[in-house]
Amino acid sequence: MLLCLGKLQAQDKAPIILISTQNTALVYTTNAKKQLTQLYLGQSLTNISDYPLKKPNNLPAIITQGSGPVREPSLGVHHADNNPSLELQYINHNTKTEGNIQITQIQLKDPQYPFYVTLHFKAYKNENVIEQWTEIKHQEKKAVTLKHFTSAFLQLSSKNYYLTHFFGDWANEMRMEETLLPEGIHHIESKLGTRATNFDLPSFMLSVDQPANEENGKVLAGTLAWSGNFKLSFENIKYSEDFGNLLQVLPGINNYASEYTLAPNTTFTTPSFIYTYSYSGKGQASRNLHQWATNYGIYKGKENKSTLLNNWEATYFKFDEQKLTSLLGDAQNLGVDVFLLDDGWFGNKYPRNNDDAGLGDWEVNKKKLPNGLPFLVKEAKKHNVKFGIWVEPEMVNPKSELYEKHPDWILKLPNRDENLRRTQLVLDLSNPKVQEHVFKVVDNILQENPDIAYIKWDCNRYMTNTFSDYLKDKQNNLYIDYTLGLYKVLERIRQKYPDTELMWCSGGGGRAEYGGLKYTNEFWPSDNTDPLQRIFIQYGYSYFFPMGIQCAHVTSWGKQPLKFKIDVAMSGKLGFDIRIEEMNAEELKLSQNALKNYKSLQDIINTGDMYRLIAPYNNHHAAWMLTDKAKNKAVLYTYNLHTQLGDYFAPIQFQGLDPNKKYVLKELNLENENKPQLPQNEKSFSGDYLMKAGIPWFLNGSLKSSVIELTAIN
């Protein structure tokens, strides 16, 4: 239909380019100079013929460096003849529909240079999400230098904007901040190279006109699918004689130290920017992103993930075959799917007995494991659990054979002191030889042990003092080519090992982004596993990521009761990293029952619609719930934090239920089956009653928790 619209345009008339989902439309046209202009961004109109009634902005959709308006540029280039300007004119566009997805391409060209830009859009109709990226190529006589290269360029027109974003650091991730955007340019960015989301997330929510809440307000929510340096720019123009109030949203790769050298006849592709426009609050924006992620953004996103027992807190670096074999028995007794062997299993000349040696030498430590990994994999099979393993293949310790043999593979300045973090350095993944090495780390393990089912891919430092021996005079390409090299490795791994489950880990929340999740099944949100703080961390990530891919482990962090730890962990992707042999019979039974309950709910946790009911911020309690698509089953999570005398607890008003169905409420993970905390346990209520009247808050005292299963009945 849209392709026909384009063909019906008369040659002398400006085209109308409509990119739309069920609820949102992004519409472009052109001005007298054949520049692309944004005509509309907002709720989809019933009649397509109404879009041209809107007056387009005087500002071009794409601000280019060196010509036109002196506003924050989206694209910029230094041409082969040293001309530092760029102009882009519309050439053509095409649109097609493949099932649920509308695919649009817009071709642009500089009228004075063989310099081409293709804008790509995917509109996911049912999810109400748009994915956008840009391709740049040229046919100039010599290389050009790309100065600016954002993935998208959105324009909004309103009086006020309220920016919600999340920041933090190791073990203190996802601290939320909402700010009224002032006039001028505001950036959220990363310059870390690796583990790029360690300080800030490449994701945001922008409330338009007034602060939105969970169920009310206009919200633009977006996230950049990129594992390297990023920049989210917001240029808030409060007044202009040319176009009045205008906000430019410019997400993309950070051009810090990255003015990219692009050879002729090669293509530079920006990462995807994924966004949704909600007209009913932040909750709907999150549900849109979750649904997109499950269906399209996460590797095998619809499939349930494995529960596991990790050995890290039980042994740290100190283990042998006998100890690990006993832990395999613990995994079997507990009832998890996978036993995960963490750091410390490799290195011989420089054995990995602590974190200052061995990284890079990926052969099994013969003293600890004389029979190698095959023995442990076979033992796991005997215990009816799958085997998983930890790797950190992007890194190297100076005390390693790899460091001695290949100093040219390491990112470090030739005339400066080495800058170590966690006593390690970063390998140069812009180098194809290093890419091959990193691929072979995983490939060799899986070739020898084809029954290994799970890999935890870690990355524990960011880049400093970086210099690539391979790139030579193209050092400005390093940050980008490193990330592209990493993706090449992951692509090869996925092609050869499509069924191996991969955890995307980076010393905590250093890789909370959809660039890597295209290849991985789940991610590690934080090394902080204290359940009280994990409530805040996991709640924060839920703005952009489904709960079912947030790895959440029961550990020894925190002084809370075991039940509280379990109830928090099973709101995400449940795992254990605790000394099972130290549990008493009641604790073991509680953990075993919780695993069974989790598996019965896992479909909902992984793919359900999430409703954030009570935020932990500025409260002493928190609650959220998930429902399945048919509204036949739901799960409610409730938590008391550190409560105080005189606290007010409003009733829990459920959401996402069918008002015409009746639901039985059942409290799970009870320490005493005869003493539920929920007074309404095993009773039934209509969805209408639960959503409008609700039930009284029922937890008493600090650090209490409850998981409630709701099941529709005839």
Side-chain angles (χ1 to χ4, degrees), residues 6-15 29-32 34:
K7 289 180 177 179
L8 288 172
Q9 298 284 345
Q11 291 299 313
D12 58 344
K13 285 191 176 181
T29 186
T30 58
N31 60 20
K34 296 185 178 180

Side-chain angles (χ1 to χ4, degrees), residues 316-389:
Y316 296 100
F317 291 102
K318 297 179 181 179
F319 56 79
D320 54 23
E321 280 182 356
Q322 183 178 356
K323 178 60 178 176
L324 294 180
T325 302
S326 71
L327 291 177
L328 287 168
D330 291 339
Q332 180 183 26
N333 193 24
L334 186 60
V336 294
D337 302 310
V338 170
F339 172 77
L340 174 62
L341 174 58
D342 213 289
D343 197 355
W345 58 268
F346 50 89
N348 287 297
K349 181 179 179 180
Y350 300 101
R352 185 71 168 173
N353 294 324
N354 50 53
D355 64 11
D356 67 2
L359 200 58
D361 300 342
W362 298 99
E363 70 274 345
V364 173
N365 182 288
K366 296 176 182 176
K367 185 175 181 181
K368 291 182 181 178
L369 306 173
N371 294 299
L373 293 179
F375 171 79
L376 293 174
V377 175
K378 289 177 183 175
E379 286 296 304
K381 214 167 190 176
K382 291 179 184 176
H383 288 87
N384 294 317
V385 294
K386 299 173 185 176
F387 193 82
I389 199 159

Side-chain angles (χ1 to χ4, degrees), residues 299 439 457 484-498 502 515 518-519:
Y299 187 78
F439 171 74
W457 184 300
L484 295 176
L486 173 63
Y487 290 162
K488 288 178 182 177
V489 173
L490 292 170
E491 184 70 38
R492 289 181 66 189
I493 290 171
R494 274 302 171 215
Q495 287 176 355
K496 191 168 183 179
Y497 302 103
L502 270 172
K518 176 182 177 182
Y519 307 99

Side-chain angles (χ1 to χ4, degrees), residues 528-538 553 555-562 564-569 639 641 703:
N528 187 341
T529 54
D530 181 303
L532 186 61
Q533 292 182 265
R534 267 300 185 112
I535 289 172
F536 291 85
I537 291 169
Q538 291 166 205
H553 293 178
T555 76
S556 60
W557 280 48
K559 303 295 184 183
Q560 302 86 358
L562 178 62
F564 190 85
K565 295 182 176 186
I566 288 172
D567 287 351
V568 173
Y639 306 102
L641 312 181
L703 303 178

